[in-house]
Amino acid sequence: MSFSFDLSGRTALVTGASSGLGTRFGRILAASGANVALGARRADRLAALAAEIGPQAAAVTMDVAREADIIAGFDAAEAAFGPVDTVIANAGVDGAGMATTISEAEIEQTLAINLKGAILTAREGAKRMMAHGVTKGRIVLIASITAFEPSPGLVAYAASKAGVVQAGRTLAREWARAGINVNTVSPGYIRTAINDAWFNTEPGQKQIARFPKRRLMGEEGLDAMILFLCSDASEFVTGTDFVLDDGQTL
């Protein structure tokens, strides 16, 4: 399948960019012409990715569980490329654990990174877009099909992602008249660094076998939707959740 979106002139900040989907998003945005600030905690990985992409990318060390880090990350992105008009709030942890055994600290960390971090990242991005007079702002929050499907062993993660979907709709309504579109993407199961070990186990293989197509998605399955939502072509799309799951929820 061939598709293209011209993001020339856009400046994006992507959180969770040091691995998995975040790395993929950084690469495809830059390949489509955007300047990209790559945000995450692992500075060494960010530096390597920025060097690979070239002058269109800058490494921005930040922890989305800390508002001060988010503010500093946007400061660094603006220093490198000017005002940010595109945000992908992707940073997340799996928060795996059965409800009766997961610790309070693990629940708090999952909610702090996956939900609070997404809201704070979107909020800081929107505040700056308004301050700089951006009229075609784009914010994409990465959720999950676990927001809608019972997922034993992922109670904290699923709850955080359900919160992300509703936060996206609410923020879209708040910022609609400011020209800032907010949408969420709920991917199905994709093999990434977070879940690779699980899907190599016998129970993980059985889970894959239960999917209608008996396979995991590839990271490239999100490319077209991410580029569309970050582009001018999505002018009339806001407050919507897009489930991209290869039929896994059927």
Side-chain angles (χ1 to χ4, degrees), residues 21-246:
L21 292 178
T23 294
R24 177 85 183 185
F25 298 155
R27 287 179 176 140
I28 65 171
L29 290 173
S32 296
N35 292 320
V36 184
L38 306 164
R41 292 176 293 180
R42 292 177 285 189
D44 56 337
R45 293 194 179 190
L46 292 179
L49 179 59
E52 171 198 320
I53 293 173
Q56 284 176 259
V60 176
T61 305
M62 58 190 294
D63 180 350
V64 300
R66 294 167 45 86
E67 185 174 30
D69 272 27
I70 294 172
I71 292 171
F74 275 93
D75 286 342
E78 289 184 355
F81 301 120
V84 172
D85 55 23
T86 305
V87 173
I88 300 182
N90 164 75
V93 294
D94 64 1
M98 300 300 288
T100 53
T101 59
I102 188 171
S103 70
E104 180 181 6
E106 289 169 326
I107 293 171
E108 289 179 344
Q109 180 191 41
T110 302
L111 295 175
I113 294 174
N114 294 6
L115 180 55
K116 184 183 79 171
I119 294 172
L120 292 179
T121 299
R123 181 176 76 171
E124 187 63 23
K127 287 168 65 175
R128 291 176 184 243
M129 290 178 203
M130 294 176 196
H132 289 295
V134 172
T135 58
K136 292 184 179 181
R138 300 288 186 267
I139 297 176
V140 182
L141 312 180
I142 305 302
S144 164
I145 59 171
T146 62
F148 316 104
E149 295 285 311
S151 303
L154 292 173
V155 61
Y157 180 84
S160 71
K161 293 303 186 179
V164 166
V165 171
Q166 185 59 16
R169 289 180 54 80
T170 302
L171 297 177
R173 183 64 183 87
E174 285 195 20
W175 301 332
R177 294 184 182 178
I180 300 170
N181 289 3
V182 185
N183 293 286
T184 58
V185 173
S186 293
Y189 287 95
I190 298 172
R191 190 183 294 275
T192 67
I194 288 179
N195 60 34
D196 186 61
W198 162 252
F199 284 117
N200 285 329
T201 66
E202 183 178 352
Q205 289 294 307
K206 289 181 178 179
Q207 182 181 3
I208 294 172
R210 290 194 296 270
F211 296 150
K213 295 188 179 182
R214 297 180 181 176
R215 66 183 185 185
L216 294 173
M217 291 176 61
E219 292 181 355
E220 69 279 3
L222 304 185
D223 290 0
M225 181 58 67
I226 291 296
L227 293 176
F228 167 69
L229 292 176
C230 291
S231 74
D232 289 351
S234 62
E235 178 180 359
F236 302 110
V237 182
T238 193
T240 301
D241 178 66
F242 294 89
V243 175
L244 305 177
D245 70 348
D246 198 36

